[in-house]
Amino acid sequence: RIKLKQKYEGDELWVQLHDSVRKKNVFIIQSLCPPINKNLIELLLTISAMRRADAAKIVAVIPYFAYSRHVQISEASNRSTLAAADIAALLQAAGCDRVITLDFHVPQIEGFYTGSCPVDNIQCSELCINYFKDHVKLSDFIIVSPDQKMNSTALNLRNSFADLQVPASVASIVQSKKGKGKKQGIELQYIGESPEGKDVLIIDNIIDRAGTLDRTVNYMKHMGANRIYVFAVHGLFTAGSMKLIEEAMVNEVVVTNTIPFDDESGRIRQISAGRVLADVIAKTNRKMGGSESA
């Protein structure tokens, strides 16, 4: 049990442990969803408190890892942050021994962590496969990657569906900027089997403002796709995204519950990633040689 409260005026946080964690493996579950910076500070202070309380190993379980899109210095200036690396440094400085997360936006983020703090970047492919195989019953459909970053995920999903005797093909969309200034737009190019008359499953890592989702869905519908579904691991759903989803020609948008949200659209379905995380936590605890954990 943890007591977490505002210690002084000015939103300063204070963490106190009510139970002993001495020589125990500790798993701290904290999603870095909005309010992101408050949740990050809570996590860092809790890790620090566990370290001071002489925990054996401290594992940060972060279902949604904010700042994972900040992985390169701005092309316009080298006087900018590399936030994904900075967060990695903060976690390790606080005393974190291991990180478990679901679907980093860019897998290379693991390189920001030293060998003393390994990262388990868990993919949610199984959740996607089980849902669309059992509930939607897709067959002979097209898995569409909305950009190059999702191409390998699309191929892995296709192979996993094939192992279950569910035929699917893979297609990719290349998005490129066209024009300049206020007249700048985004041009889409489809590479793959024609979607005309076929069901389509668009996969992505995160839905933020839903701009990519909206463009891709409308483009696929324009090319003659039949039913269109979207699967994304993280549903951030920032301002305006719900309206875009409601107006898009999409049958259903499926996300996991790494980020809590109030569903304002009947087209969004949230599925639990709890079992995936529970299995990984149990395996990690056994690997660390701990029978007791907190």
Side-chain angles (χ1 to χ4, degrees):
R1 294 175 299 154
I2 297 175
K3 185 177 183 180
L4 179 66
K5 71 174 186 178
Q6 185 176 317
K7 179 72 168 177
Y8 302 105
E9 296 300 324
D11 294 332
E12 295 181 17
L13 296 173
W14 179 66
V15 175
Q16 182 180 23
L17 308 184
H18 282 278
D19 299 298
S20 173
V21 295
R22 184 179 298 275
K23 305 306 177 186
K24 292 182 179 180
N25 296 332
V26 176
F27 293 81
I28 305 168
I29 302 175
Q30 174 77 304
S31 205
L32 297 184
C33 53
I36 292 170
N37 297 325
K38 176 178 180 291
N39 287 336
L40 174 61
I41 292 299
E42 284 183 3
L43 176 61
L44 292 171
L45 292 178
T46 304
I47 291 171
S48 176
M50 296 294 180
R51 178 58 66 209
R52 296 172 193 277
D54 200 25
K57 294 289 183 181
I58 302 169
V59 181
V61 182
I62 309 173
Y64 169 64
F65 205 109
Y67 293 105
S68 66
R69 290 175 285 182
H70 299 239
V71 293
Q72 60 185 23
I73 299 295
S74 169
E75 294 179 3
S77 171
N78 62 358
R79 298 185 295 274
S80 60
T81 59
L82 189 59
D86 296 333
I87 300 302
L90 287 170
L91 287 169
Q92 292 171 98
C96 186
D97 294 301
R98 194 180 196 98
V99 171
I100 296 173
T101 190
L102 293 177
D103 243 290
F104 268 144
H105 186 69
V106 179
Q108 290 86 340
I109 291 175
E110 295 179 41
F112 294 142
Y113 293 81
T114 64
S116 60
C117 183
V119 175
D120 294 313
N121 180 27
I122 310 302
Q123 304 302 306
C124 289
S125 301
E126 184 180 348
L127 292 175
C128 175
I129 292 166
N130 290 340
Y131 181 81
F132 286 100
K133 177 178 68 71
D134 297 335
H135 296 275
V136 182
K137 301 189 184 302
L138 287 177
S139 181
D140 192 21
F141 63 103
I142 302 176
I143 302 171
V144 176
S145 166
D147 56 43
Q148 294 92 320
K149 291 193 295 293
M150 298 302 297
N151 285 345
S152 60
T153 301
L155 287 170
N156 291 336
L157 275 176
R158 190 272 312 274
N159 294 337
S160 297
F161 274 113
D163 291 340
L164 298 173
Q165 308 303 312
V166 179
S169 58
V170 172
S172 178
I173 291 179
V174 178
Q175 302 195 34
S176 54
K177 293 181 180 179
K178 188 178 182 180
K180 293 183 178 180
K182 294 182 179 180
K183 295 183 178 179
Q184 188 180 72
I186 296 179
E187 186 177 63
L188 305 182
Q189 181 181 0
Y190 179 83
I191 302 172
E193 178 184 348
S194 172
E196 186 171 0
K198 290 205 166 193
D199 292 337
V200 167
L201 172 59
I202 300 168
I203 58 166
D204 210 344
N205 172 262
I206 181 172
I207 299 175
D208 188 346
R209 292 173 294 181
T212 299
L213 181 154
D214 183 58
R215 284 191 299 271
T216 306
V217 167
N218 291 336
Y219 187 58
M220 298 309 299
K221 205 66 179 179
H222 177 73
M223 294 185 68
N226 184 22
R227 297 183 298 170
I228 300 177
Y229 295 90
V230 175
F231 176 80
V233 178
H234 311 293
L236 196 53
F237 300 122
T238 51
S241 59
M242 291 296 187
K243 186 174 185 294
L244 279 179
I245 291 171
E246 194 63 41
E247 295 175 351
M249 293 178 285
V250 62
N251 290 72
E252 190 174 49
V253 175
V254 181
V255 296
T256 72
N257 61 344
T258 58
I259 301 172
F261 77 105
D262 295 324
D263 186 2
E264 300 176 9
S265 168
R267 294 184 179 182
I268 299 175
R269 179 177 292 271
Q270 194 176 54
I271 60 178
S272 176
R275 178 59 63 86
V276 173
L277 284 173
D279 289 345
V280 174
I281 289 172
K283 291 176 182 176
T284 302
N285 190 46
R286 290 195 296 270
K287 187 187 298 183
M288 292 191 305
S291 57
E292 281 194 284
S293 60

